[in-house]
Amino acid sequence: MKYVFIGLRIVLALVFLAAGGAKLAGAEMMVGTFQALGLGEWFRYLTGALEVGAAILLWAPGRQLLASAVLLATMVGAVLAHLFILGPSLVPALVLGILCATVAYHYKEQSLFFK
């Protein structure tokens, strides 16, 4: 199982480095998405920074729970945004959210509440 979770962390890190990097770089699709949300450019930058930072934290010793929880929170927000504002195509955010939740659950021993 160890290698399964290493693989999941690799997938999540690559996906969120790419997605967060696109947000920070101002990719046209990302700019349009956040304009449709009506939350301003600051929110795109914040989301991009959280995604890139958490993707890096997935590899910091003892920080996998924190990183996956931050990524899970961004995916919950993405699913809600697709449900109520943006329209269909919430499946990618939902799948990534499930993967983040799986990694978070696996590393639950890093929480103060489970010690």
Side-chain angles (χ1 to χ4, degrees):
M1 284 305 277
K2 172 185 174 181
Y3 295 109
V4 169
F5 286 98
I6 290 173
L8 283 177
R9 287 170 40 213
I10 289 170
V11 168
L12 290 175
L14 291 174
V15 167
F16 284 105
L17 281 172
K23 288 174 183 76
L24 293 173
E28 191 175 320
M29 183 181 99
M30 295 299 179
V31 171
T33 299
F34 280 84
Q35 283 176 345
L37 291 174
L39 295 172
E41 291 294 299
W42 70 271
F43 193 67
R44 176 174 55 88
Y45 287 117
L46 174 65
T47 305
L50 286 172
E51 289 177 350
V52 169
I56 293 167
L57 264 184
L58 282 171
W59 298 99
R63 299 293 183 251
Q64 292 80 17
L65 176 62
L66 173 64
S68 56
V70 168
L71 294 174
L72 175 58
T74 62
M75 290 302 95
V76 168
V79 167
L80 292 173
H82 281 283
L83 275 174
F84 296 111
I85 300 169
L86 300 172
S89 79
L90 63 89
V91 173
L94 191 59
V95 169
L96 287 170
I98 291 168
L99 294 178
C100 292
T102 302
V103 171
Y105 183 77
H106 179 72
Y107 289 101
K108 69 183 181 290
E109 76 279 353
Q110 294 174 356
S111 169
L112 295 175
F113 300 111
F114 289 100
K115 292 190 179 197

